[in-house]
Amino acid sequence: MPRMRLDKLLAHLSCGSRKEVQAMIRSGRVQVDGAVQTDPAAKVDPDESQVALDGAVQGYRAQRYYMLNKPAGVITANRDDRHETVLGLFPAELRRGLFAVGRLDKDTEGLLIVTDDGALSHALMSPARHVSKVYEAAVEGALAPDAAERFAAGLGLKDGTVCRPARLEVLAQQAERTQVRVTLREGKYHQVKRMIAAVGGTVVQLRRVQLGGLTLDPALPAGAFRELTEAELALLQQPGVQLG
Ligand code: URA
């Protein structure tokens, strides 16, 4: 891996914000290969150097797992000639080998896992595992009164596709808009938008807030990412919300 600034490395390892880790480094709490390093701009090779904070070694894991708060307007792809991509939100020195787990539409925001662990990605996306996905959506138009029951029973889409049982909850009802939470245990193309359309609404804003047992960190701004903690990695591998 190319050499990178010490403060940047520690921030990517979730030791704190860039500002916070700079203060930690300046106050002498960080050692590189056993020697205190007080310069946040010092260059280190994450593969070669041992970096410790308060004596605890902060290593890159063999595999990398990031939580990204995907902003609207970027596509879930590694590279694209015309559009900004989710991988483009990562600095070049981290990007190599990374890919997004599953896909969110260009206009969808929220929780996206970016990793270099193909086995984990496969397990999370496997239709047989039914890992839950929770979305919050702003919807225009009047939803059918029996929409939640139809979601729970296994909704038929306009093209004849039948969805697995899902959950629809109304969070808030405004004059023109309804805020809803949708919980699925599968991931068909444009599934939330198509399910909402089948019960009379139009999704005007969509955000994924949970995947398996892992919830999007509310403090992570749109467009930002950070490494998962060990606890979060374990939560991600749980099936999440049970439906019926
Ligand atoms: N359902 C959709 O319609 N779009 C997404 O991006 C994810 C789920």
Side-chain angles (χ1 to χ4, degrees):
M1 198 174 282
R3 287 157 70 80
M4 64 194 289
R5 282 176 61 114
L6 181 58
D7 56 356
K8 197 168 178 183
L9 173 64
L10 285 171
H12 285 315
L13 291 171
S14 306
C15 294
S17 68
R18 191 79 169 256
K19 265 215 166 94
E20 287 164 349
V21 300
Q22 284 172 353
M24 292 170 190
I25 296 167
R26 289 202 181 94
S27 65
R29 292 171 57 192
V30 174
Q31 289 116 29
V32 178
D33 297 326
V36 172
Q37 174 56 267
T38 54
D39 179 6
K43 288 284 176 65
V44 289
D45 181 335
D47 287 335
E48 299 294 328
S49 298
Q50 193 183 68
V51 178
L53 170 64
D54 296 331
V57 173
Q58 310 290 315
Y60 266 119
R61 298 181 177 115
Q63 289 183 295
R64 294 176 289 150
Y65 306 92
Y66 296 101
M67 170 191 290
L68 169 70
N69 185 358
K70 178 190 174 296
V74 300
I75 62 167
T76 311
N78 293 350
R79 171 182 293 247
D80 190 278
D81 292 337
R82 288 181 302 133
H83 301 102
E84 206 185 334
T85 69
V86 290
L87 264 297
L89 297 168
F90 287 72
E93 64 269 27
L94 290 183
R95 210 176 294 155
R96 193 148 47 97
L98 293 179
F99 54 86
V101 176
R103 190 173 283 272
L104 292 176
D105 296 340
K106 186 176 178 192
D107 55 357
T108 301
E109 305 163 23
L111 178 60
L112 191 68
I113 299 301
V114 175
T115 181
D116 57 0
D117 184 343
L120 176 89
S121 172
H122 190 259
L124 288 173
M125 291 300 112
S126 160
R129 285 203 55 231
H130 307 312
V131 172
S132 68
K133 301 163 185 82
V134 182
Y135 297 86
E136 288 178 1
V139 173
E140 286 182 358
L143 294 176
D146 61 351
E149 288 76 19
R150 287 167 59 194
F151 268 55
L155 185 68
L157 300 180
K158 287 179 179 160
D159 67 358
T161 307
V162 178
C163 298
R164 290 181 58 82
R167 185 178 294 156
L168 174 69
E169 297 159 272
V170 173
L171 302 177
Q173 182 75 65
Q174 293 137 3
E176 304 279 309
R177 281 191 177 192
T178 311
Q179 285 297 133
V180 299
R181 181 185 297 129
V182 175
T183 306
L184 308 178
R185 294 190 66 202
E186 60 186 345
K188 299 184 194 302
Y189 180 67
H190 291 336
Q191 186 163 353
V192 173
K193 292 171 186 164
R194 290 159 73 207
M195 289 179 86
I196 294 291
V199 293
T202 303
V203 170
V204 292
Q205 202 175 5
L206 184 60
R207 187 162 178 262
R208 184 158 66 189
V209 294
Q210 194 178 330
L211 178 64
L214 177 71
T215 306
L216 177 66
D217 178 350
L220 194 64
F225 65 89
R226 66 163 173 78
E227 271 215 284
L228 294 185
T229 64
E230 290 298 330
E232 287 172 333
L233 186 55
L235 285 171
L236 178 63
Q237 293 174 72
Q238 291 174 10
V241 181
Q242 302 298 309
L243 293 175

